[in-house]
Amino acid sequence: TVAKAYTGIVEDCCCDYETVNRLNKKIVHPILQELVTFPFFRYFKVKLWCDCEFWPDDGMCKLRDCSVCECPESEFPEPFKKPFHVLSDYELMCQEGRQQASVDRTIDSKVFKGWVEIDNPWTHDDEADNAELTYVNLQLNPERYTGYSGTSARRIWDAIYSDNCSKFPSDELCQEKRVLYKLISGLHSSISVHLAADYLLDEATNLWGQNLEIMYDRVLRYPDRVKNLYFTFLFVLRAVMKAADYLEQAEYNTGNPMEDLKTQSLVRQLVHHPNLRASCPLPFDEAKLWQGHSGPELKLEVQKQFKNISALMDCVGCEKCRLWGKLQVLGLGTALKILFSVNSHNLEDKPLQLQLQRNEVIALMNLLNRLSESVKLIHEMGPSIGKIPKAS
Ligand code: FAD
C-alpha cells in the first residue's frame, strides 16, 4: 500500500511519512476544512481577465465547468473594501528586497500591524485595487476536473518546467533550485489529485466522482510525484508554523464578530497545536538554504524564476484553473516570502518584521488546505487502487 511504500523521512524535510499522515488526518486536515468555509477565507480577490505576456491568447476553454461564478459586490465582506494601511518610511525600511540572504528561523513575536499592500518579491502581483479585480467565493468554485487539457495546458506546464525550473533535476542542481522544482512538481501532483478525485464521470447524467485510473496514471505510479507532494505540503506547513504569531494576531474582520472569532480560534488551534509542534516541530529547515557567498545572487535568480511562473498563470486558458492556479502560486509565493524574505536582523539588530497582504494569507491557508486534502486522498485512495508502485 502507499502507507507501506512511503516510509522514512520525507526527502529534504524533517518528519517521516507516517507522522505526516497521522498529523494531517487528526489535526491539519479537519481544522483547515472548517477554516476555509468561514467568510474571511472563502473570498479571494483575483484578476481573472488578464493578458498573457508570453504568447497570444489561447482563448478560454468552452466547457461549462471552466467558468468561475463571481460574487455580486453585495456578497463580499464590507471590511475587505476598505483601503489598506499605508506604510511609514520606517516600516518600509524593514521590508522585502534587502540584499542579505541569511535566513533566521524566527519572526518577531509582536508582528501584526494591520493588513498592508506591499509587493511580494516572489510573485507577479496584481493586487492593486482596481476595477479589474473581482472577489470570488471559493466555496462555490471548487478545484475539480474542468476538461482543460491539450496544447494550451501542456504549453503552460512545459514553460514552467523548461524555462523556470529544470524538469529533470540532476544531482548537480543546487539545493535551492531543487526545492523550486519540487514545490512546482508537488503542486502539479496536487492539481492532478484533485481533478481525479472530483471528475466528471458521465457528462449526460452530470455524474461526478473519483477517477482512480487518472489518479494512478498521473500521480501514484510516479513515486517522485508523490514525494514532491509531501515535500510541498511540509514546506507550506513550515511557513504557516513559522508565521504562527503573525497569523494568530491577524485581524480576521469580515463584519460578523461571531464567525470572525471562530476563524481566529481555528487559526490559533492549528498554528499552536501542541501535538503538531511536538511531533513535527520543524517540517522543513529553511536555514539550510542560501548559504555561502553566492547565496544572495542565487536567491535573486530563483526569485525571478518563481515570478515568471506566477506571471504564467495569466496564460492559463481556463478560468477556473486560472483562479486556482493563481491562488496556489500566490500561496506558494507567500510561503517563500515567510521562509526566505524575513532576514535575521536589520542594521539596529532588531528582528525584521513580516508584513503580509490579506489576500496572501487567504491564498496561503487555502493552498495548505488543498495540499492537505491531496495528501489525505493519496494516503486513503492509494490502497484501493491495488497497483501501488514501490518507492524508488
Ligand atoms: P499534465 O498534467 O498536463 O502534465 C504535463 C507533463 O508534465 C506530463 O506529461 C509529465 O511529463 C509532467 N508531469 C506531470 N505531473 C508532474 C508532476 N507532478 N511533477 C513533475 N512533472 C509532472 N485541469 C483540471 O481539470 N482542473 C484544474 O483545476 C486544473 N488546473 C490547472 C492549473 C494549471 C496552472 C494548469 C497549467 C493546468 C491545470 N489543469 C487543470 C490542467 C491539468 O493540469 C492537465 O494539464 C490536463 O489535465 C492534461 O493532463 P496531461 O495528462 O496531459 O498531463
Side-chain angles (χ1 to χ4, degrees):
T1 69
V2 165
K4 279 187 189 137
Y6 298 97
T7 52
I9 303 285
V10 179
E11 202 178 74
D12 289 332
C13 290
C14 312
C15 311
D16 60 82
Y17 284 97
E18 210 177 309
T19 307
V20 175
N21 288 324
R22 180 172 49 79
L23 295 175
N24 187 41
K25 187 175 170 198
K26 291 237 160 81
I27 302 167
V28 182
H29 186 259
I31 296 178
L32 284 170
Q33 286 280 299
E34 192 181 350
L35 185 66
V36 297
T37 64
F38 281 86
F40 185 89
F41 285 104
R42 70 173 183 248
Y43 295 102
F44 180 63
K45 194 169 67 167
V46 64
K47 195 162 143 192
L48 285 174
W49 294 96
C50 23
D51 292 328
C52 167
E53 62 181 79
F54 301 98
W55 52 75
D57 196 2
D58 281 316
M60 306 293 272
C61 72
K62 299 285 180 282
L63 281 183
R64 190 187 47 191
D65 294 305
C66 274
S67 59
V68 167
C69 109
E70 291 167 18
C71 318
E73 180 143 344
S74 56
E75 192 191 316
F76 64 80
E78 228 15 78
F80 282 24
K81 300 180 198 165
K82 296 204 180 104
F84 285 96
H85 167 69
V86 179
L87 294 173
S88 67
D89 286 350
Y90 173 74
E91 285 167 311
L92 278 169
M93 262 171 52
C94 306
Q95 298 309 313
E96 316 301 333
R98 296 168 63 90
Q99 292 303 301
Q100 305 102 300
S102 64
V103 170
D104 196 358
R105 291 198 187 86
T106 53
I107 287 178
D108 187 355
S109 60
K110 290 266 171 284
V111 280
F112 185 76
K113 307 243 178 341
W115 297 115
V116 292
E117 192 171 327
I118 182 156
D119 277 350
N120 181 333
W122 297 88
T123 54
H124 171 82
D125 283 320
D126 50 26
E127 292 304 314
D129 227 343
N130 63 42
E132 290 172 61
L133 289 166
T134 44
Y135 278 95
V136 172
N137 182 338
L138 298 169
Q139 295 290 304
L140 298 180
N141 296 280
E143 186 192 22
R144 46 150 61 169
Y145 173 75
T146 60
Y148 180 50
S149 58
T151 48
S152 172
R154 178 54 69 98
R155 181 149 66 161
I156 309 277
W157 288 121
D158 282 353
I160 288 176
Y161 288 117
S162 57
D163 303 343
N164 300 297
C165 61
S166 185
K167 183 153 189 172
F168 305 104
S170 67
D171 289 342
E172 287 152 41
L173 208 62
C174 65
Q175 200 187 359
E176 290 76 6
K177 292 200 175 175
R178 216 172 57 222
V179 164
L180 178 63
Y181 170 80
K182 288 167 75 160
L183 289 177
I184 294 301
S185 168
L187 176 59
H188 194 168
S189 300
S190 180
I191 290 173
S192 304
V193 167
H194 284 292
L195 74 88
D198 202 355
Y199 197 85
L200 184 57
L201 298 170
D202 183 18
E203 221 171 329
T205 57
N206 199 29
L207 176 69
W208 288 80
Q210 294 179 341
N211 186 330
L212 298 182
E213 214 176 305
I214 287 209
M215 170 88 81
Y216 177 76
D217 282 348
R218 306 237 184 132
V219 184
L220 285 170
R221 64 191 274 236
Y222 300 97
D224 277 349
R225 296 185 188 176
V226 174
K227 291 177 185 175
N228 293 342
L229 169 66
Y230 275 80
F231 173 83
T232 306
F233 171 64
L234 288 178
F235 185 94
V236 178
L237 182 63
R238 166 63 190 144
V240 166
M241 285 166 78
K242 183 175 184 177
D245 291 331
Y246 185 96
L247 293 170
E248 191 192 351
Q249 292 161 29
E251 181 191 275
Y252 299 101
N253 179 14
T254 63
N256 181 332
M258 292 290 280
E259 291 194 302
D260 296 341
L261 267 178
K262 181 76 183 144
T263 305
Q264 191 136 29
S265 145
L266 283 168
V267 170
R268 187 176 308 131
Q269 262 181 56
L270 176 69
V271 298
H272 288 304
H273 202 289
N275 291 352
L276 188 58
R277 292 208 163 254
S279 307
C280 186
L282 193 64
F284 171 80
D285 187 359
E286 68 276 12
K288 283 192 184 150
L289 270 62
W290 325 109
Q291 305 268 343
H293 53 205
S294 59
E297 210 180 300
L298 184 62
K299 187 156 147 191
L300 287 178
E301 195 189 322
V302 175
Q303 233 167 40
K304 197 169 152 227
Q305 289 175 328
F306 192 80
K307 242 185 164 134
N308 248 327
I309 292 173
S310 158
L312 270 165
M313 293 303 112
D314 285 342
C315 307
V316 174
C318 141
E319 214 179 27
K320 203 184 275 176
C321 312
R322 182 184 285 186
L323 163 69
W324 282 99
K326 282 189 161 214
L327 179 142
Q328 295 184 92
V329 169
L330 178 62
L332 270 186
T334 307
L336 287 160
K337 175 172 166 180
I338 293 170
L339 294 182
F340 301 131
S341 298
V342 181
N343 298 322
S344 48
H345 295 287
N346 67 10
L347 295 176
E348 284 133 30
D349 214 30
K350 290 197 181 110
L352 280 173
Q353 294 186 343
L354 179 66
Q355 301 271 10
L356 296 175
Q357 301 183 19
R358 180 169 42 212
N359 222 32
E360 288 180 323
V361 170
I362 294 168
L364 178 72
M365 294 308 227
N366 275 285
L367 166 67
L368 188 60
N369 181 47
R370 301 315 285 157
L371 295 168
S372 150
E373 219 172 273
S374 295
V375 164
K376 187 165 177 278
L377 281 162
I378 288 263
H379 184 60
E380 288 176 358
M381 279 171 68
S384 61
I385 294 171
K387 28 179 186 171
I388 305 305
K390 288 197 168 34
S392 57

